Amino acid sequence: MIKMATLAGIGYGTRITLPELFPQSRLLRSSLQTRKTTNTFISISYIPKRSFSISASISDISNGVNDRQVRVRFAPSPTGNLHVGGARTALFNYLYARSKGGKFVLRIEDTDLERSTKESEEAVLRDLSWLGLDWDEGPGIGGDYGPYRQSERNDLYKQYAEKLLQSGQVYRCFCSNEELEQMKEIAKEKNLPPVYSGKWATATDEEVQEELAKGTPFTYRFRVPKEGSLKINDLIRGEVSWNLDTLGDFVVMRSNGQPVYNFCVTVDDATMAITHVIRAEEHLPNTLRQALIYKALGFPMPSFAHVSLILAPDRSKLSKRHGATSVGQYREMGYLPQAIVNYLALLGWSDGTNDEFFTLEQMVEKFSIDRVNKSGAIFDAVKLRWMNGLHLKALPAEELLKSVGEQWRSAGILNESEGVFIQDAFKLLEGGMDLITDADKLLLDLLSYPLHATLSSSEGREILEDGLPAVAESLLAAYDSGELLGALEEGKSGWQKWVKAFGKSLKRKGKSLFMPLRVLLTGKLHGPDMGEGIVLIYRAGTSCIVAPQVGFVTLEQRLESLKQVDWEAFSKVEPVTVASH
């Protein structure tokens, strides 16, 4: 059992024992009240002294809440890009809703007016749509429970805050910032939690009216039991318990009239009929305040499920210092949305088998909150890349070809995005692609001609000393006679016939024939199929398909440059230890 200083949550199937927290409350007037709200059973018995004890048990019924449609929400703050952790939270909410035939609601929590921007909101919506996590209600769609931006719901928050004030469950606090700081210092000296002392909790009406008449700024504070504990069953984390003596009366409305986060979230989730709150474990402490507000307003409680954090390889919280962390960054790097959602789902969830490759539809079919792990998950960028390669290869060939052709053109490598050259280049290079953007490096490498760097390497020196100048002389003779270019005009079959005859004339075959030819014509020691590669290089030089800025050296230019090579000088150069290519 986990024991904490603050609260996680109360969900459907929850049994609660509460005191009379607020004697003035008309909501809690009777000596004993038992009621059933949807699938939540609440038993209230009064205990003196503003204290209570709660025992909660939540069961995630396989077909959802008995008499209410499952409704989940993802509520991002538009203060930056969509983090992969937020994307995973959205994914788990989406999968749970779809697996239960429920609704996935998107709500924008933009009460941080200084940091929230329209650009960030648009980026978050764009990333969610790109991932395929379509929402049923929210911005751009609407719904019966709107508006779906917190900044447009202020009147609702004020209405419920006034309701709590009238019932005596919140009170006005006129403490200045200096007074509050002094309370913290006193608590620190006594080694006590930094909680509010309750100075204005027992103020008389006359004292309150006197401050109001002076125009003294005030906040709304919620009356919290001074004693008691809470024990619940989180859908992911299991049984968790908290003591309440470390909380203190907390603010629900600031002195500027703006509601605080926990009050907004509670009112929003309740009035939007959210049945299951699936969110990151860093929100676990917030649930204490939220549960008290739910109870005070008479709202039915949702079930809570707190998902573990995504960790870096060093087991610290994943952050920018570990590399790319936002969905937008991975999109720009060439990752597929289906690969990202597949990988994020595996950070804390499995279907109980060794399978790792899933489409979004398959995950909906297999998803269960019971199989979400409460331990932190390590984000492995290498595995994400591998996963992307699987999804890339699973794409229909025509779709992948089109994407690669468009990538080559948009990257400024080729002047066209379709045609025979693109088809042949794709066929030759696709095996080395895990990302669409890998196609750029592969093609640029094919088109490059680093002859001097290769000949200066230790591995290149071996080829040089194995009669490379003599092979070059014969190759240039075949070029000058038109024999080589004529063979290449016929394509790969023409090349194969020519190279066989060329080998016989030099009494070379196998590696002793192909290695020097590869070095002379491609400038490299290694690469894809040499015949197909050289035919492509030849075609690239005769079709003008390669963009000028690439600095492509055509096959004919390469052969002409071989005529200028001083082979004796190369043999005297001290080779480098590692080959450049």
Side-chain angles (χ1 to χ4, degrees), residues 432-456:
M433 299 178 194
D434 283 329
L435 305 174
I436 288 290
T437 48
D438 287 346
D440 294 349
K441 182 180 183 303
L442 291 168
L443 183 58
L444 287 172
D445 188 58
L446 176 71
L447 297 174
S448 68
Y449 189 58
L451 178 67
H452 287 259
T454 298
L455 292 177
S456 299

Side-chain angles (χ1 to χ4, degrees), residues 414 421 447 535-546 552 554:
L414 300 182
F421 180 85
L447 297 174
V535 169
L536 277 171
I537 292 169
Y538 173 69
R539 288 179 180 170
T542 58
S543 64
C544 298
I545 193 172
V546 181
F552 171 58
T554 68

Side-chain angles (χ1 to χ4, degrees), residues 325-437:
T325 58
S326 74
V327 171
Q329 285 176 296
Y330 283 103
R331 183 181 66 248
E332 292 171 1
M333 289 163 64
Y335 283 83
L336 297 172
Q338 54 268 46
I340 292 177
V341 296
N342 187 168
Y343 181 67
L344 290 179
L346 297 179
L347 294 180
W349 170 83
S350 76
D351 70 338
T353 71
N354 293 324
D355 293 340
E356 292 188 305
F357 183 93
F358 300 102
T359 64
L360 189 57
E361 292 74 17
Q362 289 170 334
M363 285 188 283
V364 168
E365 181 182 342
K366 295 175 179 290
F367 186 79
S368 169
I369 201 75
D370 295 333
R371 297 208 59 84
V372 175
N373 198 312
K374 64 182 179 182
S375 301
I378 303 296
F379 189 90
D380 185 345
V382 174
K383 186 168 184 178
L384 172 58
R385 184 183 178 88
W386 167 80
M387 178 67 70
N388 197 84
L390 295 183
H391 281 273
L392 198 68
K393 292 172 178 61
L395 291 175
E398 290 185 4
E399 180 181 341
L400 182 54
L401 171 61
K402 181 180 179 182
S403 297
V404 170
E406 291 173 351
Q407 173 65 31
W408 282 336
R409 183 174 181 177
S410 65
I413 301 173
L414 300 182
N415 295 319
E416 300 174 11
S417 61
E418 55 185 23
V420 175
F421 180 85
I422 284 88
Q423 293 172 10
D424 290 345
F426 169 75
K427 182 180 177 182
L428 178 64
L429 303 173
E430 64 172 322
M433 299 178 194
D434 283 329
L435 305 174
I436 288 290
T437 48

Side-chain angles (χ1 to χ4, degrees), residues 266-336:
T266 306
V267 171
D268 287 342
D269 285 342
T271 56
M272 290 182 177
I274 300 302
T275 62
H276 295 74
V277 174
I278 304 172
R279 58 188 181 185
E281 68 172 320
E282 59 194 359
H283 288 287
L284 199 60
N286 291 330
T287 322
L288 170 56
R289 294 168 174 81
Q290 294 166 15
L292 292 171
I293 296 169
Y294 272 114
K295 186 62 201 160
L297 290 171
F299 289 138
M301 298 284 185
S303 295
F304 287 91
H306 289 89
V307 183
S308 64
L309 296 176
I310 295 179
L311 305 177
D314 62 1
R315 302 200 69 82
S316 64
K317 185 177 179 180
L318 187 67
S319 64
K320 292 179 180 178
R321 67 187 176 89
H322 299 108
T325 58
S326 74
V327 171
Q329 285 176 296
Y330 283 103
R331 183 181 66 248
E332 292 171 1
M333 289 163 64
Y335 283 83
L336 297 172

Side-chain angles (χ1 to χ4, degrees), residues 495 499-500 508-520 524-525 530-531 534:
W495 161 264
V499 78
K500 185 176 181 180
R508 286 175 175 256
K509 62 181 178 178
K511 185 177 178 179
S512 67
L513 171 64
F514 294 113
M515 282 301 287
L517 280 178
R518 180 183 289 277
V519 169
L520 294 169
K524 294 178 281 288
L525 293 162
M530 184 173 65
I534 291 172

